[in-house]
Amino acid sequence: SGFGPPDALESMSEALLGFGSARASLVVAPPALWGFSLDKEKGDDLDEGQLREGLNGVLPRPQGGGPGGGRGPGGRGGGDPSGSWSTPVIVPSGGHDELVVNFPNRLVGYHPLTGKQLWLSKGLTAVSYATPLWTDGTVIAMAAGMGTGVGLALKAGGSGDVTESQRLWRLERVKSQIGTGVIHGEHIYTISSDGIAECYELKTGKRLWEERLQGPSSRNSSWSSMLLAGDRIFVPNQCGHVFVLKAGEQSGSMPEVL
């Protein structure tokens, strides 16, 4: 059925599951779910070396340090590896569910039960940490590692290459993001790795405001994801302080820090 010999898949499955990563089990079962994306030559066949190389692009490496085997946040070497540390999400669309995955350079939708690739949207960067967001048929992806990145929004659904046909907007020079933002009403809220909160208009991607969340300590960077409860947004920083923002409903309104 393609995508590598069974013994290679079995040995890779055992090795990857040994890392204790929940994402490892997603990647290796079923193999057809990921095989097409890892098969660069689209020959419907992967040997063990090709499979290992492909999986290294979407999984954290087991060495010490931060994501990417010590080269990502908290790692020893600095800089960004190429890969994705994002978590897949299930998005309802047109009476069915889609498994949306933030891969390097592209956002991909799969059928969650069969692993069939439904659509692909190009235009992201080679590094992704934040998990895709979705609301009312719209999917938002922010791909930005320790440098600037890209943000894009597209209509859920479609088939094949939907880079242009389903795209709603695309942003350049998005601030570095490790954590995932939230959606409230008609706005997207994000937190950069430097501790800067931002608000974007959901429909257009227009940035409405940005605000540095300054705590009592000099260490105000944030690698955490935001948490939304009602109209309150909770934002931890690396020093252990938690900011509580009141989401603004009016276009351009600055956040109220509670």
Side-chain angles (χ1 to χ4, degrees):
S1 60
F3 302 127
D7 57 339
L9 290 171
E10 182 177 355
S11 63
M12 286 297 295
S13 299
E14 293 174 355
L16 290 166
L17 291 174
F19 295 168
S21 167
R23 261 186 309 172
S25 61
L26 286 175
V27 170
V28 298
L33 180 64
W34 310 99
F36 180 81
S37 295
L38 303 182
D39 184 9
K40 296 179 180 179
E41 298 180 358
K42 305 307 177 193
D44 196 32
D45 188 33
L46 295 174
D47 60 31
E48 185 170 351
Q50 291 172 312
L51 181 61
R52 187 182 302 275
E53 179 184 359
L55 290 173
N56 279 338
V58 295
L59 285 176
R61 300 186 182 182
Q63 294 97 326
R71 295 189 296 148
R76 297 182 296 275
D80 268 327
S82 173
S84 175
W85 288 264
S86 171
T87 302
V89 293
I90 297 293
V91 177
S93 174
H96 68 275
D97 289 337
E98 298 179 349
L99 179 69
V100 178
V101 187
N102 208 350
F103 281 113
N105 304 308
R106 65 206 186 280
L107 191 68
V108 185
Y110 296 95
H111 192 294
L113 299 180
T114 67
K116 178 183 178 182
Q117 180 175 306
L118 303 175
W119 52 263
L120 176 149
S121 179
K122 303 172 186 176
L124 295 178
T125 64
V127 181
S128 296
Y129 292 103
T131 294
L133 300 171
W134 66 271
T135 180
D136 296 331
T138 300
V139 179
I140 296 95
M142 298 288 187
M146 297 305 288
T148 59
V150 167
L152 63 82
L154 64 145
K155 293 181 291 184
S159 61
D161 188 338
V162 299
T163 302
E164 300 297 335
S165 61
Q166 299 288 95
R167 180 178 293 176
L168 299 174
W169 47 260
R170 184 175 186 272
L171 305 177
E172 298 280 357
R173 301 185 65 80
V174 171
K175 287 182 173 60
S176 165
Q177 296 178 24
I178 306 300
T180 301
V182 297
I183 297 175
H184 182 272
E186 296 299 316
H187 301 116
I188 306 166
Y189 298 88
T190 64
I191 181 70
S192 75
S193 58
D194 293 328
I196 299 175
E198 295 182 286
C199 177
Y200 297 88
E201 191 174 65
L202 177 62
K203 291 182 179 180
T204 65
K206 178 184 178 181
R207 187 173 64 185
L208 301 177
W209 54 256
E210 66 175 58
E211 179 79 5
R212 182 176 294 277
L213 302 182
Q214 185 71 44
S217 169
S218 60
R219 190 180 183 189
N220 292 288
S221 55
S222 177
W223 293 356
S224 297
S225 294
M226 290 178 155
L227 176 65
L228 178 67
D231 63 351
R232 300 296 193 264
I233 304 173
F234 296 82
V235 192
N237 68 13
Q238 284 194 290
C239 202
H241 302 120
V242 178
F243 297 86
V244 183
L245 311 181
K246 183 176 181 180
E249 291 297 330
Q250 300 300 317
S251 176
S253 61
M254 295 294 286
E256 180 183 352
V257 181
L258 305 177

